[in-house]
Amino acid sequence: AGPSCRRYVSGGRCKSTAKLDGKVVIITGANTGIGKETARDLARRGKVIIACRDISKAEAAASEIRAETGNQQVIVKKLDLADTKSIREFAETFLAEERELHILINNAGVMLCPYSKTADGFEMHLGVNHLGHFLLTFLLLERLKQSAPARIVNVSSLAHHGGRIRFHDLHGEKSYNRGLAYCHSKLANVLFTRELARRLQGKFQRQAEFTANSLHPGSVHSELVRHSFVMTWLWKIFCFFLKTPWEGAQTSVYCAVAEELESVTGQYFSDCQPAYVSPRGRDDETARKLWSVSCELLGIQWD
């Protein structure tokens, strides 16, 4: 049962050989795990910008990827999603340096952190996983539009099934559970993707090729569980049943490059195919409300 069980666990493969010649990709949190493997794959196809908080780790990952792929266009930029000032600085620098942006992969994430807040006072999971990426996407949207066909890929999780958007206590000040906080933030990713796709479609009938999709990478053996001793221990025991980071990156790569997805938008994928979204993840009213509350919290107008 070994190899076939392993094959089952490893899930779908991205079979597309699409090249991204002359195209520019940004991947957040691409210095370890799934993000790094996504960057490694896309660096074989085109120019990749690795946007990370830890520059030394990111540089190490980038030089390894450059050496392996022979692509010198793997560039590291500082981005701390827990600080809106850093997000704005990143976007400003990027827009000044790059004329085009074709693919934005919002991959970075925190998981199971003890209660803490971002520089702007947002609960850490919601702040980094949702609000940070929401602001980043907002700041880069015009450049993506100008570069269409373009794609936005939001890495969510199966954990969105356990989430709800607690508008009465968004920052977990009344009650906090780090497992649930992660689930809530992953549900926010699904709802953001859905509402973004809806808004983009309304604006560009002629440009169906500007898309936004979300995905579940699979249960992956990565550093995400570092804040939890029990999870780290369970991960070690059950690693046979977990995807490798390379396997976990397949659906991100698929959403970024697969030819058959060029006009597919607002969908949620797992194992390189459409997957079931929880009823809460399909609630348009919640999606709209989350959008306006996010704009309010970030002090932006995004219509």
Side-chain angles (χ1 to χ4, degrees):
S4 62
C5 166
R6 191 72 208 97
R7 247 199 321 280
Y8 173 73
V9 169
S10 75
R13 292 274 189 277
C14 175
K15 298 187 176 71
S16 168
T17 55
K19 283 277 174 239
L20 299 172
D21 299 327
K23 297 204 165 178
V24 180
V25 183
I26 291 176
I27 309 174
T28 66
N31 53 356
T32 58
I34 301 168
K36 182 177 170 186
E37 292 307 320
T38 305
R40 194 193 306 269
D41 181 293
L42 296 180
R44 295 199 168 90
R45 306 171 192 252
K47 178 172 183 172
V48 175
I49 293 168
I50 292 179
C52 291
R53 189 186 56 206
D54 186 329
I55 290 289
S56 56
K57 258 191 186 172
E59 279 298 353
S63 60
E64 180 191 314
I65 291 170
R66 282 184 215 116
E68 194 183 306
T69 60
N71 180 2
Q72 293 314 301
Q73 298 276 65
V74 180
I75 296 158
V76 171
K77 293 283 176 208
K78 169 111 176 134
L79 170 67
D80 182 355
L81 287 156
D83 184 352
T84 57
K85 196 163 148 285
S86 169
I87 299 168
R88 289 180 180 280
E89 279 164 10
F90 168 83
E92 213 171 292
T93 309
F94 174 83
L95 295 172
E97 291 173 359
E98 298 288 342
R99 305 278 19 111
E100 294 190 299
L101 174 59
H102 303 90
I103 300 168
L104 171 61
I105 303 179
N106 290 318
N107 162 84
V110 293
M111 181 179 181
L112 304 175
C113 335
Y115 188 76
S116 57
K117 286 187 166 177
T118 68
D120 302 85
F122 309 140
E123 186 277 313
M124 192 59 74
H125 292 92
L126 188 79
V128 170
N129 299 355
H130 168 61
L131 291 167
H133 282 128
F134 187 94
L135 179 61
L136 180 66
T137 306
F138 168 74
L139 295 170
L140 298 175
L141 197 73
E142 279 310 310
R143 190 58 41 99
L144 282 156
K145 281 180 189 169
Q146 295 157 6
S147 311
R151 300 186 188 191
I152 295 166
V153 178
N154 293 325
V155 179
S156 177
S157 166
L158 185 67
H160 85 270
H161 286 276
R164 53 174 52 197
I165 306 300
R166 301 167 68 247
F167 289 109
H168 64 286
D169 188 22
L170 268 184
H171 303 297
E173 285 153 336
K174 298 193 182 84
S175 72
Y176 179 75
N177 171 304
R178 56 194 188 170
L180 288 177
Y182 177 70
C183 295
H184 303 332
S185 72
K186 293 288 109 181
L187 173 60
N189 293 152
V190 171
L191 291 167
F192 167 46
T193 307
R194 188 178 178 89
E195 180 64 8
L196 178 61
R198 190 185 70 77
R199 286 163 177 260
L200 292 176
Q201 272 183 313
K203 293 234 166 71
F204 301 97
Q205 241 78 50
R206 60 181 201 294
Q207 267 185 359
E209 72 269 32
F210 189 18
T211 63
N213 291 298
S214 62
L215 65 103
H216 167 55
S219 301
V220 174
H221 202 268
S222 76
E223 290 182 13
L224 255 189
V225 293
R226 62 180 173 268
H227 291 294
S228 165
F229 171 74
V230 174
M231 286 289 280
T232 305
W233 184 71
L234 285 171
W235 243 230
K236 281 200 170 67
I237 296 173
F238 292 109
C239 67
F240 187 75
F241 296 103
L242 295 170
K243 290 186 179 188
T244 64
W246 182 83
E247 290 161 353
Q250 292 301 303
T251 306
S252 296
V253 173
Y254 174 74
C255 288
V257 303
E259 295 85 345
E260 63 268 31
L261 297 188
E262 62 187 31
S263 55
V264 173
T265 191
Q267 299 300 306
Y268 170 77
F269 292 86
S270 176
D271 283 330
C272 300
Q273 56 194 22
Y276 179 73
V277 177
S278 78
R280 289 200 186 105
R282 296 190 302 256
D283 185 332
D284 290 329
E285 198 182 327
T286 307
R288 276 196 286 276
K289 185 171 176 187
L290 178 64
W291 185 283
S292 66
V293 169
S294 302
C295 286
E296 233 166 275
L297 288 168
L298 293 162
I300 57 176
Q301 292 244 281
W302 187 356
D303 301 320

